[in-house]
Amino acid sequence: MLVTAPLAEFCTLTIDEIYGELPSRIYASLLMRGRSTIQQLAGDTGMNARQLRHGLALLLQHNLLQYHLDAGSPHYFYEANVEHAYNLARTGKILQMVEETHGAAAKDVMQTIILTGLTRVGDLVDAYQNRIDRMNRIKEKLKAEEDPFGNGVESHEVNGEPKPKPTPQSSKSDPLISSIADLNKIIYKLVEAELLIGVHKTSFESPEDLLATIESDIQKTYPGGEVKGNKAKAEYKDKVAEALRKNRSESRSLKRKLEQNGLSAKRRKLFDGAASANGTPDGEMDLGIDPQQVMCINYEKCLVELRNRRLMHYAEEAFGQTTSWVYASLLNLLSKDISRCRDDPITDRYEKDEEKPAPVVVTTSQLLDVLKTSLDLSVGLGQVDADKISVTAAEKIAELPPRKKFFIDVQAEADANASSDDDDEGEDVKPATNGVNGVNGTHVTNGVNGTAKRVDRRTQLRQHLLLLSESTQGFLRHCGAEEWTVDFVPLMAALRQAEIDATIENTVGREGVRLVRMLRAKGKLDEKAIMSVALMRKADMSKKLAEMHKYGFVQTQEVPREAKADVKKSFFLWYFDGTMALERILDVSYKTMIHSLQVLDTLREKDQHVLSLIKRSDVKGQEDDKLRKIHKEKLTQFLKLERMLLGQIQRVDDLVAVLRDY
């Protein structure tokens, strides 16, 4: 990840917001100076050894640091882990995703691990056991107050007066996890989903240090420690990639142990059923995790799940709610075998195409099995005449993913090809019929002369899938007979381009987007060529290009007319650089999030008196009764502004995730 100044400042402010000033000062020093020893950190930060050890321990506990020990060196070198620091801002999204997917109890376990950082299984079990014991003691105390004589008869009088009825709040205080057996099941559910992974000896090494160590070890196996010849170099790269993949697979050791012990989800369900039939308590099941095993959050897998939710949102905007639910179910099936959003160019390198892992596919039957029966698949499909649909084009199978990296505008592409011959070149034909909500209604339920025809659920499901496969963005690909897959690389490239265009439109207007799409399709153009193609007046066009150049959306290139450079005799070409525009938008996004955190810090200083009151033990939880009216109004106003600022950060992060991480 490219660490720019705004990104470094945002990560530092996030750590200061969550963990305080001490670790944030150490983290800021590492970002500014680079990898450093503890002696160098002491000189840069002015902290004593005790403060440094405490701050480094906290950062290491939450996996915000990476360290490395060179051979023969007595000192460890520490380096900031920017990716994990930024992911702290996504904690709320991750917890919401876990709750919606795995339940409130799983969210509670994930939240505990996020708060404590790297956690041993035994320590997590002990913490929940203490919590369960404490809640049991509270229940026993309440039961004793209700039945003081222990005869099973509830007392209805206290000191000769009627006893007040208990308020119905006991359900809220009941623990989400009532036994260690429930905790074990949740841990294994999260491990199976790869949201929790094991920590091994190379987990704290940076990718650069790990790559250098592996390359050094492999080079020693060659004569003289040198790799000579093209064949030997290709073999060397394959060995390095294989070693990196083997190291990466160490983090999945927990899941492999679970599978080796035969404790998959299906077998656990069978065991639970047998235990219930035999009257055996759930706690007697030995799940087989080493209590000393250290676990942490797998942010790479969390990003995969968050990407699924984002793609579902895009599909809902394009096709409606029902089709988006079908798409979400398909993405959930696909993501079981997808561990990260983006492949590493070194680790995921394969010399031969046959060595590459096969793309993950989902069949129509598998998807039909997991769809809820309450979902009405007939909703969201239009009706057209049967003679208006090309069955050949509808059922065409695309065995290979599309080659285009970026999708240009549909209308621009149509204009560019208007003068060419009508040749489909192997692409699907899209009938120009309209369905519900303005969506292209292809492959819908058809009758004769527009009359409706009853079809089975499987056919309706295929219609939704075919609708997704014919989308301009490429949400889905029909890769085989009743087989479907998602080409995430071109899909996310198309969505990134759509987000860039939307940002440009919000900044400089629709005319700016029109010029950007033109430059993207035509390449470098001078002002005369742009004016002839865009059909704009020179003054308006020059003003708009200058405005977009100020924001970094378009670039210029000076071309001298003579060998001796002279600005007056040179002409300038305008062009659109997608990478530079993306970096510019990311830079502005980081600054926006920084500003939100700074405003939030200023508001806290302004309302420090009220915030200090609600932290008091005699006021906490009873703010409505204990606080004065003026204090309650200030607290309400502060909480409203805090929600708005944090919500703004989450919305900006949605854009950052699409542009950078997905």
Side-chain angles (χ1 to χ4, degrees):
M1 178 188 296
L2 178 63
V3 183
T4 60
L7 175 59
E9 185 178 358
F10 175 71
C11 292
T12 303
L13 289 176
T14 303
I15 293 176
D16 180 69
E17 175 79 13
I18 299 175
Y19 303 114
E21 182 182 359
L22 178 64
S24 67
R25 284 177 57 190
I26 298 174
Y27 196 84
S29 177
L30 288 172
L31 287 174
M32 180 178 63
R33 184 185 178 91
R35 54 191 304 163
S36 308
T37 63
I38 193 170
Q39 290 79 11
Q40 293 170 336
L41 286 172
D44 293 339
T45 60
M47 299 181 184
N48 56 39
R50 179 177 175 274
Q51 292 173 328
L52 278 174
R53 285 196 298 268
H54 178 75
L56 290 174
L58 190 148
L59 292 172
L60 286 170
Q61 176 70 19
H62 292 276
N63 207 6
L64 299 174
L65 284 187
Q66 296 165 335
Y67 62 84
H68 180 72
L69 180 64
D70 291 330
S73 175
H75 303 295
Y76 280 91
F77 287 88
Y78 297 94
E79 188 175 355
N81 189 343
V82 180
E83 293 184 5
H84 283 204
Y86 183 86
N87 285 328
L88 291 175
R90 295 173 173 156
T91 300
K93 295 179 183 177
I94 293 173
L95 293 178
Q96 182 182 5
M97 175 269 296
V98 172
E99 183 178 15
E100 294 178 357
T101 307
H102 303 286
K107 173 192 172 183
D108 186 71
V109 174
M110 286 284 286
Q111 185 173 7
T112 302
I113 296 177
I114 289 175
L115 292 175
T116 57
L118 304 178
T119 308
R120 288 188 298 183
V121 176
D123 294 340
L124 186 65
V125 171
D126 292 341
Y128 272 93
Q129 184 64 61
N130 294 334
R131 187 184 303 181
I132 293 170
D133 293 342
R134 184 171 63 253
M135 294 304 300
N136 289 336
R137 288 194 296 269
I138 293 175
K139 288 183 178 180
E140 292 176 359
K141 183 179 179 181
L142 293 175
K143 185 177 180 180
E145 292 176 355
E146 294 175 357
D147 186 11
F149 302 106
N151 54 6
V153 179
E154 182 178 352
S155 176
H156 296 280
E157 293 186 359
V158 178
N159 297 327
E161 297 181 359
K163 180 180 177 181
K165 294 183 179 180
T167 57
Q169 296 179 352
S170 59
S171 59
K172 295 183 180 180
S173 61
D174 290 341
L176 295 172
I177 300 175
S178 58
S179 66
I180 299 302
D182 294 339
L183 175 63
N184 288 337
K185 294 176 183 177
I186 292 171
I187 291 175
Y188 276 108
K189 185 190 300 183
L190 296 175
V191 170
E192 275 190 333
E194 297 185 31
L195 298 176
L196 292 180
I197 56 175
V199 178
H200 51 94
K201 60 181 181 180
T202 60
S203 296
F204 293 98
E205 286 201 24
S206 65
E208 294 79 10
D209 291 330
L210 181 61
L211 177 61
T213 302
I214 290 176
E215 288 178 342
S216 177
D217 293 340
I218 295 177
Q219 285 177 359
K220 293 177 182 178
T221 62
Y222 287 86
E226 296 182 1
V227 184
K228 299 180 181 180
N230 294 333
K231 184 177 180 181
K233 289 181 180 179
E235 181 185 22
Y236 166 75
K237 291 180 180 179
D238 288 341
K239 289 182 178 180
V240 171
E242 181 64 28
L244 289 173
R245 288 194 293 269
K246 182 178 179 181
N247 177 79
R248 189 169 64 184
S249 65
E250 289 294 325
S251 60
R252 302 182 61 187
S253 57
L254 273 178
K255 186 175 181 179
R256 285 198 302 270
K257 289 179 182 177
L258 185 147
E259 294 172 349
Q260 291 172 1
N261 294 335
L263 297 175
S264 61
K266 183 176 180 180
R267 291 183 62 86
R268 287 205 309 276
K269 290 179 182 179
L270 293 174
F271 178 87
D272 293 342
S276 301
N278 299 330
T280 307
D282 293 343
E284 293 184 6
M285 180 180 180
D286 183 15
L287 298 179
I289 282 187
D290 183 9
Q292 300 300 319
Q293 174 66 57
V294 180
M295 301 184 301
C296 67
I297 304 297
N298 184 8
Y299 284 108
E300 288 185 338
K301 186 65 176 182
C302 291
L303 285 178
V304 173
E305 299 294 339
L306 293 177
R307 181 179 67 179
N308 292 347
R309 294 164 60 88
R310 188 64 178 168
L311 289 175
M312 176 187 173
H313 174 71
Y314 281 123
E316 183 176 0
E317 289 182 343
F319 303 107
Q321 193 175 59
T322 305
T323 306
S324 69
W325 285 343
V326 172
Y327 193 51
S329 300
L330 184 140
L331 290 174
N332 290 334
L333 289 176
L334 285 176
S335 62
K336 291 181 180 179
D337 298 319
I338 299 175
S339 300
R340 58 197 52 81
C341 290
R342 296 192 177 189
D343 291 337
D344 186 85
I346 300 177
T347 306
D348 299 302
R349 176 187 180 278
Y350 296 91
E351 182 66 22
K352 299 179 181 179
D353 292 339
E354 55 267 18
E355 295 177 355
K356 295 181 180 179
V360 184
V361 299
V362 172
T363 64
T364 308
S365 300
Q366 291 174 337
L367 185 57
L368 190 62
D369 291 340
V370 299
L371 277 179
K372 295 182 179 179
T373 56
S374 58
L375 180 61
D376 187 3
L377 295 178
S378 63
V379 178
L381 295 173
Q383 297 179 359
V384 295
D385 296 338
D387 57 354
K388 293 183 179 181
I389 291 182
S390 173
V391 180
T392 304
E395 299 293 342
K396 187 170 183 178
I397 295 175
E399 297 181 355
L400 299 177
R403 294 182 179 180
K404 288 192 296 183
K405 295 183 179 180
F406 288 89
F407 290 79
I408 65 175
D409 181 66
V410 179
Q411 186 61 42
E413 187 178 27
D415 295 341
N417 298 332
S419 60
S420 62
D421 295 336
D422 186 14
D423 186 4
D424 60 359
E425 295 183 0
E427 295 186 359
D428 294 345
V429 179
K430 299 179 177 61
T433 55
N434 294 326
V436 295
N437 300 328
V439 178
N440 288 339
T442 58
H443 322 313
V444 293
T445 306
N446 307 307
V448 180
N449 298 326
T451 58
K453 175 183 175 183
R454 295 182 61 87
V455 295
D456 58 359
R457 185 175 176 83
R458 183 187 184 90
T459 303
Q460 292 174 343
L461 174 60
R462 292 189 80 258
Q463 291 168 359
H464 285 283
L465 295 175
L466 290 170
L467 186 63
L468 288 165
S469 66
E470 286 199 350
S471 60
T472 307
Q473 299 87 348
F475 284 106
L476 196 62
R477 177 162 60 90
H478 193 188
C479 59
E482 300 298 329
E483 291 183 347
W484 314 86
T485 189
V486 177
D487 301 311
F488 289 102
V489 175
L491 171 59
M492 295 313 303
L495 296 180
R496 274 193 292 273
Q497 180 175 296
E499 290 290 354
I500 291 174
D501 289 349
T503 304
I504 294 174
E505 182 177 359
N506 293 332
T507 306
V508 298
R510 300 197 62 176
E511 292 182 350
V513 180
R514 184 165 170 261
L515 291 174
V516 164
R517 289 173 176 170
M518 183 191 312
L519 292 174
R520 184 188 293 138
K522 302 294 184 180
K524 297 180 180 180
L525 299 174
D526 61 358
E527 289 193 0
K528 291 183 179 179
I530 296 175
M531 188 169 55
S532 62
V533 176
L535 301 178
M536 295 176 63
R537 293 189 304 173
K538 184 176 180 180
D540 296 339
M541 182 197 64
S542 300
K543 182 180 179 180
K544 186 60 65 176
L545 288 174
E547 182 182 5
M548 290 194 294
H549 186 266
K550 180 183 69 173
Y551 288 108
F553 296 143
V554 294
Q555 311 298 326
T556 59
Q557 178 182 353
E558 180 182 357
V559 181
R561 297 180 184 272
E562 301 177 356
K564 185 179 179 180
D566 188 357
V567 177
K568 295 182 180 179
K569 296 182 180 180
S570 300
F571 65 95
F572 293 87
L573 299 178
W574 294 87
Y575 66 97
F576 173 75
D577 190 328
T579 302
M580 295 183 67
L582 186 145
E583 292 176 356
R584 174 65 175 170
I585 294 173
L586 286 176
D587 193 61
V588 174
S589 300
Y590 298 145
K591 292 178 181 178
T592 302
M593 293 190 286
I594 290 171
H595 181 68
S596 299
L597 288 177
Q598 290 172 341
V599 171
L600 181 59
D601 188 57
T602 303
L603 291 175
R604 285 188 181 134
E605 291 181 0
K606 179 181 177 182
D607 298 327
Q608 185 177 5
H609 176 65
V610 177
L611 297 178
S612 62
L613 287 177
I614 63 175
K615 292 180 181 179
R616 291 171 43 179
S617 58
D618 59 333
V619 178
K620 203 170 187 179
Q622 305 179 38
E623 290 84 357
D624 293 337
D625 299 332
K626 299 291 184 178
L627 292 180
R628 297 167 57 185
K629 182 179 179 180
I630 186 173
H631 291 159
K632 286 192 290 186
E633 291 177 353
K634 288 184 177 181
L635 178 61
T636 302
Q637 181 67 16
F638 170 79
L639 294 177
K640 178 182 177 181
L641 294 175
E642 184 183 44
R643 284 193 299 269
M644 292 173 62
L645 290 170
L646 295 179
Q648 173 72 5
I649 292 176
Q650 297 304 312
R651 286 191 294 271
V652 175
D653 175 64
D654 289 338
L655 175 63
V656 172
V658 173
L659 297 181
R660 190 194 67 187
D661 298 329
Y662 296 162

